[in-house]
Amino acid sequence: MRIFVISLLAVSLLTACGESEPTTESMAKAKHDSALEHAHKHLDAKYVCPMHPEVVSDKPGSCPICGMFLVAKK
């Protein structure tokens, strides 16, 4: 049960970081970010998923969870 919860948490954290599919390069860069650097990436998020507000991005795209188009944040 613990492994399932940890796996679910890891997947949700990866999808909440604004990329639809993490690449090897983006994962390598993210590993070296401090918590402050990672948080700073989300400060100017301009697009969010209407159904999943935890999904934020600085560019238009689609939600990795449901596929809906990200909308401009107001």
Side-chain angles (χ1 to χ4, degrees):
M1 182 68 178
R2 287 184 189 177
I3 293 174
F4 175 74
V5 171
I6 292 170
S7 299
L8 185 60
L9 179 61
V11 169
S12 65
L13 287 174
L14 289 174
T15 59
C17 292
E19 290 199 27
S20 57
E21 293 184 29
T23 63
T24 304
E25 291 177 22
S26 66
M27 292 297 292
K29 289 178 186 176
K31 283 184 180 180
H32 299 293
D33 286 351
S34 68
L36 185 58
E37 291 169 332
H38 183 85
H40 183 69
K41 290 179 182 178
H42 293 281
L43 286 178
D44 294 328
K46 298 177 183 125
Y47 297 91
V48 295
C49 174
M51 296 298 293
H52 303 98
E54 69 274 11
V55 175
V56 294
S57 178
D58 60 345
K59 57 186 179 245
S62 61
C63 175
I65 298 171
C66 65
M68 290 182 70
F69 288 112
L70 301 179
V71 297
K73 187 176 178 181
K74 295 180 181 178

